[in-house]
Amino acid sequence: MAHPDWALGFLDEVWWSRCARPTLASWAAEDAPLRLIEQMVGRRDPDPKALACYGLLVRQWDDAGERDERMLLRFVDGRPVSAVTTQFLAWCCERLAAQGKTALLLVWDNASWHISKAVRTWIRAHNRVVKGEGNGVRIVVCHLPTKSPWLNPIEPKWMHGKRKIIEPARLLTAEEIAERVCACFGCLHEPHLHSEEAS
């Protein structure tokens, strides 16, 4: 709060399944209970069974000390890997720099693509460029303890999001999933990031 030009960000990745159904409860008439039908992806269906997505929950404080939370989302054609992680970080820094931020305090877990040599090297090089040029958003990494997802406040956002986008009686396309997720979190549906194996 003492540094309005800093952003506190909680980063995580999630898979949005087209088939798996989240656990949820709802009110319904006794004679017409809501049933979630288990969906199956056909052999000729061109869409993947699930979509990978990077998310950054950004917390900021205004001059009055009021907290504001926003999500930055990017879907991935493929799976989370180091090269895609650095693409997402670069994109987030561009967005935060446009808001006048100078630092991102990045909280994330110890996933292999977070602690890889490629990602650590990219962050060091990025911070050197920011310091040398005197503009941009430097990244200060804060790792969560191992196996402690409850310490990352983005986790419940994923859970509630999966409940909000559910379609009880039909299989959603990958595009519909992405559009619903972006609408749920108030984000634009940005072009998907690409891992090398998806290229």
Side-chain angles (χ1 to χ4, degrees), residues 32 58 64 90 94 96 100 127 130 135 143 178 185:
V58 181
E94 289 173 11
L96 293 172
N127 286 341
V130 169
N135 63 29
H143 288 285
F185 293 111

Side-chain angles (χ1 to χ4, degrees), residues 69-103:
E69 284 190 348
R70 295 181 188 201
M71 289 283 278
L72 297 176
L73 295 179
R74 291 293 292 273
F75 285 90
V76 180
D77 290 334
R79 63 184 183 86
V81 292
S82 299
V84 180
T85 302
T86 56
Q87 290 175 47
F88 182 69
L89 289 174
W91 178 77
C92 289
C93 287
E94 289 173 11
R95 291 298 172 110
L96 293 172
Q99 297 174 21
K101 302 301 178 188
T102 61

Side-chain angles (χ1 to χ4, degrees), residues 9-31:
F10 300 90
L11 190 146
D12 193 32
E13 300 81 21
V14 68
W15 287 89
W16 298 91
S17 175
R18 296 172 60 211
C19 302
R21 297 294 180 231
T23 303
L24 55 85
S26 67
W27 294 100
E30 189 174 336
D31 58 341

Side-chain angles (χ1 to χ4, degrees), residues 26-176:
S26 67
W27 294 100
E30 189 174 336
D31 58 341
L34 177 64
R35 304 268 187 222
L36 294 183
I37 300 170
E38 185 173 346
Q39 302 295 330
M40 308 234 349
V41 176
R43 287 185 198 173
R44 298 181 187 275
D45 192 324
D47 288 346
K49 289 183 180 179
L51 293 98
C53 176
Y54 279 78
L56 182 70
L57 175 63
V58 181
R59 284 186 177 166
Q60 304 172 76
W61 287 265
D62 61 22
D63 296 335
E66 295 293 321
R67 188 172 82 182
D68 177 43
E69 284 190 348
R70 295 181 188 201
M71 289 283 278
L72 297 176
L73 295 179
R74 291 293 292 273
F75 285 90
V76 180
D77 290 334
R79 63 184 183 86
V81 292
S82 299
V84 180
T85 302
T86 56
Q87 290 175 47
F88 182 69
L89 289 174
W91 178 77
C92 289
C93 287
E94 289 173 11
R95 291 298 172 110
L96 293 172
Q99 297 174 21
K101 302 301 178 188
T102 61
L104 168 61
L105 309 181
L106 178 64
V107 180
W108 63 7
D109 60 24
N110 294 289
S112 60
W113 53 89
H114 293 171
I115 61 174
S116 69
K117 183 177 180 181
V119 169
R120 289 184 283 121
T121 301
W122 183 90
I123 291 173
R124 280 195 302 271
H126 169 82
N127 286 341
R128 275 197 302 271
V129 169
V130 169
K131 184 177 181 180
E133 294 180 353
N135 63 29
V137 175
R138 67 188 173 95
I139 300 171
V140 180
V141 175
C142 308
H143 288 285
L144 291 169
T146 304
K147 297 182 180 178
S148 58
W150 62 89
L151 293 177
N152 193 337
I154 201 172
E155 293 284 354
K157 302 277 186 189
W158 296 146
M159 181 182 64
H160 292 300
K162 288 180 179 183
R163 292 174 177 171
K164 287 180 180 176
I165 70 158
I166 194 74
E167 181 68 42
R170 72 177 177 89
L171 183 67
L172 295 172
T173 65
E175 183 69 17
E176 287 175 318

